C-alpha cells in the first residue's frame, strides 16, 4: 500500500514539474508569446480597416507585402528553365500573373518608435476575390487553380469560404477608366434610359381589345390627375382613385420639385402602352425611368410646364444617373484603394522573391501587363519607385551570408535564422546577435513585443516575417535605427541603394532585373544557384519538338553529331518529354540543320531513310525552329500541358522554319530585354533563293551523307 502511494506521489510530482516548467522552457523550438490573430479584412470591415491602414502607411518607414495566389505555372514547360532568355522569363511571369488569381494580400507597415527603440508592425491580411460588381459586356472573370497551390493553402487552414463569400472585389485602373468611358457615352446619349424610346413607342400597335381599353382608361386617369393639378395649384390637389388597386399602382409624389405619379405593378408591355399614351395625348406630362436608392428601378410620369422645363428635367435626371453610376463605380474599386495608397505614399516596398508579386499587382490593379519587360519596368517604376527584395539582400551581402550559415534563403528559414528572438520568443537561444532589432506588433488595441499569430503561410503573417527579415538585414548592413529620423527615407540610404529596385527575375539561375533600367545584371555576391550549363548562346540554339517520345537527350545528341561533327552539339536540354533545346557549338549550324531537315523530309530516296537523322524524324511529326519561335509560343495565352501540343494549338503547321545562314552575333546572356541580336527570319523568300541555300548547305555535307549512307547500306 505504501509502495503504491509512493508511486502515485512520484507520478504526480513529475506531472506537476512538467506543468510548471513548460511556460519557462527555452529549449522548445515552438513559437511562444502572446497569441492573438491577424487583422483579417473582408468586405464587411474593409472601410474602417482602410482608414486605419491609411494612418499607419503615412507614418511607416517601410511597408512589407506578400501575396497568396491560386497557382504559379499553367503548364510544366512554363516553369522558369535554365535555357530561358530574359525576355522569355518575363513572358512566363506575365502568363502566370494573367492566369491565376490573388486570394490573399498581406500588407504590414513598419514604423520606428524612438521611445521604445523598436519597430511597431501593423499586419493586415486582406481576403481578395475578383467578384464582378459592375455589369460589363463579355464573359465574367476567370482564373486558373493549380492543385499543388490549393492543396498547400488547404494544409495551412486557408479559409476558402471567407475568400469567396467575403473577399474584397476590385477594379483595375483600366477597368475603372473603361467603366467611366461607357458611362460618359451613355450620358451623352439624350435618349439613354431616361426618356422613352420614341421610335419604339411609335411602333406600338393596338391590335387587341384589352390594349385599347387599357390605354383609354390610362388616358382618362392621367387627364383627371392633370386637370386636378391645374384646378387647384395652391391647395396641393391629390388625385383620389376609386379602387384600392389604383392606389397601389398610382401614387402621387414630388420628383425634382415637380408633381409626379409613381407607377408600380405594371408589366413591361403595359409600361410601353403608358409611354405611348403620354407621348400621344399629353404635351405637359413626361415619362421618365430613374434608378432610386439601392439601384431600384422606378417609372414616373412628371408634370412639366414648358418645353424648357422638360429639357431641364431630363438634364437633372441624367445628372442623377451619372452621379449614381459614378458612386457604383467608385464602390467597385474595392481593394485597389490599398494599392493606390501604397503608390501615393511612395514608401519603400519590401518583398521576398517578389517579382511575380509585383507582376500580379500590375495585372490585377493597374492594367494589362505590357508585352515586353522593358515596357513593364518603365511603367511599374512610375507607381512604385522603391522596391527591395529580401531574398536578394540575403544573398548579395557577405555578412548576411555568414549569418545565414549556408541555410536556405526561403522566407521561413530566413525568419527562423535572422529573427529567432521573434520567431521563438525573447528567451530563444538562436543566433547570437549583438543588437537584434526589436519588433512589436499592434493589432487593433493590442500591442506586444512577443507575438504568435498562429497563422503560418497567411499573407499578412508572411508580410510581417518579410519586414522583420528586412529590419534585421538593415542592422547587419550597418544601419543604426536609433539614429534614424522620421523624415529620412530608407530607400535613399547609402547602405541600401545598391539593392533598391533589384529583383530576382528568376531564382533558377540568379538573373537579376534592375527595375530602374530594365537591364539584366550579374548575380550579386556568391550565393546563388549554380548553372548546370555554364555558357548558353541563344543564337546557337535550335528548338525541336514532336519527335518520337522514346528518344532521350543522349540519342538526339548522337543523331545530330553523326551529321555535323562529334563536337557540334554542346548540350541537349529537355523542356518536357515532347521537346528539347539543342545548343550547337557554332551559330551557323542552326540554319544548316534546318535546311538539311527540310531537304530530307522532301526526299523519298534511300538517303532520307538511311540518314542518321532518320531516327529523329521518324513518324513525320518532328518540328524544328530557331529560338525566336520558342519566344513566340511562350507569348501565347494558350497553355497546353505538353509543349508539342502547345505549338500546334498556337497554329504552327510547318515542319521546319528555314532561315538563311548568318554570321554569329554576340550572346544575349548578360544583355537586357532588347532583342537586337535575336535571329528571327521566318521564311518569306522565293523558292529559288531557298534552293540556293539548300544547295550550298548540302554541298558541304554531301561527302558525309554519302559515306554514312554507304556504310549503313553495307551493314544492312
Amino acid at each position: 500500500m505504501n509502495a503504491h502511494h509512493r508511486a502515485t506521489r512520484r507520478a504526480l510530482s513529475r506531472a506537476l514539474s512538467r506543468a510548471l516548467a513548460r511556460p519557462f522552457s527555452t529549449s522548445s523550438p515552438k513559437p511562444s508569446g502572446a497569441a492573438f490573430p491577424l487583422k483579417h479584412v473582408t468586405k464587411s470591415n474593409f472601410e474602417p480597416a482602410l482608414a486605419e491602414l491609411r494612418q499607419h502607411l503615412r507614418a511607416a518607414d517601410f511597408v512589407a507585402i506578400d501575396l497568396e495566389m491560386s497557382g504559379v505555372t499553367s503548364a510544366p514547360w512554363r516553369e522558369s528553365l535554365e535555357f530561358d532568355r530574359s525576355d522569355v522569363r518575363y513572358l512566363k511571369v506575365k502568363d502566370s500573373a494573367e492566369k491565376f488569381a490573388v486570394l490573399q494580400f498581406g500588407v504590414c507597415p513598419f514604423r520606428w518608435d524612438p521611445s521604445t527603440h523598436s519597430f511597431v508592425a501593423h499586419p493586415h491580411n486582406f481576403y481578395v476575390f475578383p467578384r464582378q460588381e459592375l455589369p460589363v459586356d463579355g464573359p465574367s472573370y476567370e482564373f486558373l487553380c493549380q492543385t499543388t497551390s490549393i492543396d498547400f493553402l488547404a494544409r495551412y487552414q486557408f479559409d476558402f469560404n471567407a475568400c469567396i463569400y467575403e473577399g474584397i472585389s476590385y477594379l483595375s485602373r483600366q477597368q475603372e477608366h473603361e467603366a467611366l468611358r461607357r458611362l460618359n457615352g451613355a450620358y451623352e446619349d439624350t435618349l439613354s434610359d431616361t426618356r422613352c424610346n420614341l421610335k419604339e413607342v411609335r411602333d406600338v400597335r393596338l391590335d387587341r381589345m384589352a390594349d385599347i381599353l387599357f390605354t383609354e382608361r390610362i388616358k382618362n386617369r392621367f387627364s383627371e390627375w392633370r386637370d386636378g393639378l391645374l384646378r387647384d395649384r395652391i391647395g396641393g390637389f391629390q388625385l383620389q382613385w376609386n379602387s384600392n388597386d389604383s392606389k397601389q399602382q398610382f401614387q402621387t409624389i414630388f420628383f425634382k420639385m415637380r408633381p409626379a405619379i409613381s407607377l408600380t405593378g405594371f408589366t413591361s408591355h403595359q409600361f410601353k402602352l403608358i409611354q405611348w399614351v403620354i407621348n400621344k395625348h399629353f404635351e405637359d406630362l413626361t415619362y421618365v425611368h430613374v434608378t432610386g436608392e439601392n439601384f431600384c428601378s422606378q417609372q414616373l410620369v412628371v408634370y412639366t410646364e414648358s418645353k424648357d422645363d422638360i429639357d431641364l428635367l431630363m438634364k437633372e435626371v441624367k445628372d442623377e444617373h451619372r452621379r449614381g453610376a459614378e458612386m457604383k463605380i467608385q464602390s467597385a474599386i474595392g481593394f485597389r484603394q490599398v494599392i493606390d495608397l501604397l503608390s501615393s505614399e511612395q514608401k519603400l516596398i519590401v518583398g521576398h522573391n517578389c517579382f511575380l508579386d509585383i507582376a500580379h499587382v500590375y495585372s490585377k490593379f493597374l492594367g494589362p501587363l505590357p508585352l515586353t519587360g522593358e515596357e513593364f519596368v518603365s511603367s511599374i517604376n512610375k507607381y512604385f519607385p522603391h522596391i527591395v527584395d529580401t531574398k536578394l539582400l540575403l544573398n548579395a551581402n557577405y555578412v548576411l551570408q555568414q549569418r545565414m550559415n549556408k541555410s536556405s534563403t526561403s522566407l521561413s528559414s530566413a525568419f527562423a535564422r535572422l529573427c529567432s528572438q521573434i520567431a521563438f520568443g525573447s528567451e530563444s537561444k538562436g543566433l547570437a546577435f549583438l543588437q537584434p532589432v526589436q519588433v512589436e506588433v499592434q493589432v487593433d488595441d493590442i500591442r506586444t513585443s512577443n507575438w504568435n499569430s498562429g497563422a503560418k503561410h497567411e499573407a499578412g503573417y508572411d508580410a510581417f516575417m518579410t519586414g522583420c527579415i528586412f529590419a534585421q538585414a538593415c542592422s547587419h548592413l550597418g544601419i543604426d535605427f536609433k539614429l534614424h529620423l522620421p523624415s529620412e527615407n530608407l530607400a535613399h540610404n547609402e547602405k541600401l541603394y545598391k539593392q533598391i529596385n533589384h529583383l530576382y527575375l528568376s531564382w533558377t539561375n540568379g538573373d537579376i532585373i534592375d527595375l530602374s533600367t530594365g537591364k539584366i545584371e550579374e548575380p550579386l555576391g556568391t550565393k546563388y544557384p549554380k548553372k548546370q550549363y555554364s555558357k548558353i548562346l541563344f543564337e546557337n540554339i535550335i528548338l525541336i519538338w514532336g519527335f518520337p517520345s522514346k528518344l532521350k537527350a543522349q540519342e538526339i545528341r548522337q543523331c545530330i553529331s553523326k551529321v555535323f561533327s562529334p563536337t557540334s552539339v554542346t548540350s541537349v536540354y529537355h523542356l518536357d518529354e515532347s521537346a528539347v533545346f539543342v545548343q550547337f557549338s557554332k551559330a551557323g549550324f542552326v540554319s544548316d540543320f534546318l535546311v538539311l531537315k527540310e531537304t530530307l523530309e522532301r526526299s523519298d530516296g534511300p538517303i532520307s531513310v538511311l540518314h542518321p537523322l532518320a531516327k529523329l524524324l521518324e513518324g513525320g511529326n518532328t518540328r524544328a525552329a530557331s529560338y525566336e519561335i520558342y519566344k513566340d509560343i511562350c507569348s501565347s495565352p494558350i497553355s497546353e500541358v505538353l509543349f508539342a501540343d502547345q505549338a500546334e494549338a498556337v497554329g504552327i503547321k510547318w515542319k521546319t522554319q528555314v532561315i538563311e545562314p548568318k554570321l554569329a552575333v554576340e550572346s544575349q546572356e548578360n544583355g537586357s530585354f532588347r532583342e537586337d541580336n535575336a535571329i528571327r527570319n521566318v521564311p518569306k523568300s522565293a523558292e529559288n533563293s531557298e534552293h540556293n541555300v539548300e544547295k550550298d548547305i548540302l554541298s558541304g555535307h554531301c561527302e558525309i551523307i554519302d559515306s554514312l549512307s554507304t556504310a549503313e547500306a553495307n551493314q544492312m
Side-chain angles (χ1 to χ4, degrees):
M1 188 70 174
N2 291 336
H4 174 72
H5 283 174
R6 285 195 297 271
T8 303
R9 288 171 60 185
R10 284 196 298 271
L12 289 172
S13 177
R14 287 194 298 269
L16 182 61
S17 298
R18 287 195 299 268
L20 292 174
R22 189 176 294 117
F24 304 100
S25 174
T26 59
S27 59
S28 173
K30 295 181 180 179
S32 62
F36 54 89
L38 284 165
K39 177 78 173 183
H40 292 290
V41 185
T42 62
K43 63 181 182 180
S44 59
N45 66 334
F46 177 64
E47 291 302 329
L50 180 64
E52 177 187 301
L53 180 64
R54 183 178 288 108
Q55 296 177 353
H56 294 321
L57 283 176
R58 287 173 180 169
D61 292 286
F62 64 91
V63 185
I65 65 169
D66 185 81
L67 280 65
E68 296 293 342
M69 288 87 78
S70 63
V72 179
T73 53
S74 58
W77 58 270
R78 284 201 185 270
E79 294 277 0
S80 184
L81 306 176
E82 191 166 340
F83 271 73
D84 287 345
R85 202 168 56 196
S86 56
D87 51 352
V88 173
R89 294 187 194 281
Y90 168 75
L91 291 175
K92 290 187 174 183
V93 170
K94 176 177 179 287
D95 177 82
S96 178
E98 290 173 341
K99 284 187 170 66
F100 295 99
V102 174
L103 303 179
Q104 264 187 357
F105 201 113
V107 181
C108 189
F110 282 74
R111 173 182 60 85
W112 178 255
D113 186 349
S115 63
T116 60
H117 290 169
S118 65
F119 275 105
V120 181
H122 301 274
H124 290 68
N125 193 55
F126 292 89
Y127 282 96
V128 182
F129 191 75
R131 194 177 299 101
Q132 192 162 299
E133 301 287 357
L134 296 177
V136 296
D137 297 331
S140 59
Y141 295 139
E142 295 179 351
F143 61 86
L144 297 182
C145 289
Q146 195 171 2
T147 53
T148 52
S149 297
I150 298 300
D151 180 63
F152 175 83
L153 294 174
R155 279 190 282 115
Y156 287 98
Q157 290 79 49
F158 183 90
D159 193 340
F160 291 97
N161 283 330
C163 177
I164 295 172
Y165 291 112
E166 292 293 320
I168 307 160
S169 58
Y170 54 84
L171 286 182
S172 69
R173 292 191 177 187
Q174 184 175 26
Q175 288 171 327
E176 179 193 9
H177 175 76
E178 181 62 23
L180 290 173
R181 186 192 64 79
R182 290 196 302 267
L183 173 62
N184 290 333
Y187 180 79
E188 294 300 326
D189 184 1
T190 57
L191 297 176
S192 64
D193 211 29
T194 54
R195 298 185 69 177
C196 60
N197 190 316
L198 296 179
K199 182 180 184 303
E200 185 178 342
V201 171
R202 292 192 189 103
D203 291 340
V204 172
R205 298 179 60 182
L206 304 180
D207 294 331
R208 300 188 305 162
M209 180 59 67
D211 292 346
I212 296 173
L213 294 176
F214 178 80
T215 54
E216 189 65 25
R217 181 161 54 95
I218 288 295
K219 184 182 75 170
N220 293 337
R221 291 192 174 182
F222 281 122
S223 296
E224 183 182 351
W225 179 77
R226 183 197 58 182
D227 293 344
L229 291 177
L230 297 176
R231 285 197 305 268
D232 193 1
R233 287 173 178 262
I234 300 176
F237 173 83
Q238 285 194 352
L239 177 63
Q240 298 296 324
W241 304 108
N242 296 326
S243 66
N244 291 332
D245 292 343
S246 297
K247 291 180 181 179
Q248 294 175 1
Q249 291 182 309
F250 300 87
Q251 182 180 4
T252 301
I253 62 173
F254 275 89
F255 179 75
K256 305 294 183 185
M257 303 301 292
R258 299 172 179 86
I261 292 179
S262 176
L263 306 174
T264 57
F266 295 101
T267 66
S268 59
H269 178 67
Q270 288 173 331
F271 276 127
K272 288 183 180 180
L273 294 176
I274 293 173
Q275 295 175 37
W276 181 84
V277 170
I278 295 299
N279 282 274
K280 183 173 180 62
H281 299 288
F282 301 95
E283 294 184 356
D284 49 4
L285 298 183
T286 303
Y287 183 95
V288 296
H289 173 206
V290 298
T291 302
E293 294 184 2
N294 300 322
F295 307 105
C296 295
S297 179
Q298 191 176 15
Q299 315 286 336
L300 300 172
V301 174
V302 184
Y303 175 77
T304 50
E305 296 189 350
S306 64
K307 179 66 169 62
D308 292 340
D309 191 29
I310 294 176
D311 294 339
L312 179 60
L313 171 66
M314 300 316 301
K315 184 179 185 306
E316 292 173 351
V317 170
K318 287 193 294 181
D319 289 344
E320 184 174 328
H321 267 267
R322 183 189 181 93
R323 286 191 297 270
E326 287 176 344
M327 289 177 60
K328 192 170 184 179
I329 293 173
Q330 187 65 31
S331 64
I333 290 174
F335 181 77
R336 204 203 74 215
Q337 296 177 76
V338 174
I339 305 302
D340 290 343
L341 268 178
L342 292 173
S343 178
S344 62
E345 292 297 330
Q346 300 284 287
K347 300 292 183 179
L348 175 62
I349 304 295
V350 181
H352 189 84
N353 206 12
C354 59
F355 186 76
L356 179 58
D357 291 354
I358 300 301
H360 268 287
V361 168
Y362 194 107
S363 174
K364 303 299 185 296
F365 309 113
L366 300 178
L369 282 164
L371 297 177
T372 67
E374 285 181 326
E375 293 176 271
F376 170 76
V377 165
S378 174
S379 184
I380 197 66
N381 197 249
K382 298 175 184 176
Y383 297 107
F384 304 104
H386 313 298
I387 302 174
V388 66
D389 189 338
T390 53
K391 194 177 186 82
L392 186 145
L393 198 61
L394 296 178
N395 290 306
N397 183 270
Y398 178 76
V399 175
L400 292 172
Q401 290 178 26
Q402 293 296 107
R403 290 296 184 188
M404 291 302 297
N405 193 23
K406 299 182 180 180
S407 297
S408 166
T409 52
S410 67
L411 182 61
S412 57
S413 176
F415 183 65
R417 236 10 232 182
L418 292 180
C419 311
S420 57
Q421 80 283 0
I422 303 173
F424 305 122
S426 58
E427 299 184 20
S428 170
K429 295 181 181 179
L431 289 179
F433 292 109
L434 295 177
Q435 290 183 336
V437 178
Q438 299 298 319
V439 179
E440 297 183 354
V441 177
Q442 182 170 350
V443 176
D444 294 328
D445 297 329
I446 306 175
R447 179 168 169 174
T448 180
S449 59
N450 192 12
W451 179 55
N452 173 22
S453 76
K456 190 177 181 181
H457 291 297
E458 284 197 308
Y461 189 72
D462 286 0
F464 166 74
M465 289 197 296
T466 300
C468 291
I469 293 170
F470 176 70
Q472 301 296 340
C474 287
S475 178
H476 291 297
L477 290 175
I479 298 175
D480 189 351
F481 291 110
K482 294 178 181 178
L483 304 177
H484 178 69
L485 298 176
S487 59
E488 293 181 15
N489 190 336
L490 274 176
H492 300 148
N493 190 292
E494 61 179 6
K495 296 176 180 178
L496 271 178
Y497 79 94
K498 288 185 178 180
Q499 280 76 43
I500 298 296
N501 290 333
H502 287 74
L503 276 66
Y504 280 121
L505 178 61
S506 167
W507 184 237
T508 303
N509 64 354
D511 282 348
I512 296 172
I513 180 173
D514 185 346
L515 295 184
S516 302
T517 63
K519 293 182 178 179
I520 303 300
E521 301 180 354
E522 287 286 346
L524 301 173
T526 59
K527 184 176 173 58
Y528 61 93
K530 295 181 179 179
K531 296 181 180 180
Q532 182 180 355
Y533 304 94
S534 58
K535 191 174 183 180
I536 299 176
L537 302 174
F538 294 104
E539 64 272 17
N540 292 16
I541 292 176
I542 193 169
L543 174 66
I544 305 175
W545 71 94
F547 49 81
S549 58
K550 61 184 179 181
L551 284 183
K552 305 302 180 184
Q554 185 62 27
E555 294 176 285
I556 295 174
R557 178 195 289 265
Q558 291 173 355
C559 287
I560 299 175
S561 297
K562 285 180 181 179
V563 178
F564 295 95
S565 72
T567 60
S568 60
V569 177
T570 60
S571 56
V572 178
Y573 183 91
H574 269 279
L575 280 80
D576 61 14
E577 63 186 68
S578 69
V580 294
F581 285 126
V582 176
Q583 177 169 293
F584 289 103
S585 58
K586 297 179 182 179
F589 285 146
V590 172
S591 57
D592 290 359
F593 176 88
L594 293 174
V595 171
L596 179 59
K597 174 181 177 296
E598 186 182 41
T599 303
L600 291 172
E601 289 173 328
R602 287 180 179 178
S603 172
D604 294 328
I607 291 181
S608 61
V609 177
L610 303 176
H611 197 276
L613 291 183
K615 186 186 295 186
L616 182 62
L617 305 180
E618 182 182 342
N621 296 318
T622 305
R623 265 73 170 163
S626 68
Y627 192 89
E628 291 304 316
I629 297 300
Y630 173 59
K631 176 189 171 184
D632 292 343
I633 294 173
C634 288
S635 67
S636 169
I638 302 171
S639 280
E640 298 291 341
V641 175
L642 291 178
F643 183 84
D645 296 336
Q646 170 77 9
E648 182 178 357
V650 168
I652 295 180
K653 303 299 183 182
W654 41 259
K655 289 188 176 182
T656 307
Q657 176 217 19
V658 179
I659 59 176
E660 295 181 5
K662 287 191 175 184
L663 294 176
V665 292
E666 292 184 1
S667 171
Q668 292 181 348
E669 185 180 16
N670 300 321
S672 68
F673 281 102
R674 293 184 176 87
E675 304 166 69
D676 299 334
N677 60 339
I679 303 174
R680 183 189 174 89
N681 293 314
V682 179
K684 296 181 180 179
S685 57
E687 290 185 3
N688 54 355
S689 62
E690 184 178 300
H691 174 73
N692 292 335
V693 174
E694 293 176 7
K695 182 178 178 181
D696 294 339
I697 298 299
L698 289 176
S699 63
H701 294 290
C702 181
E703 188 174 331
I704 297 175
I705 294 173
D706 287 343
S707 61
L708 284 171
S709 300
T710 303
E712 292 187 9
N714 292 334
Q715 185 177 4
M716 291 175 63

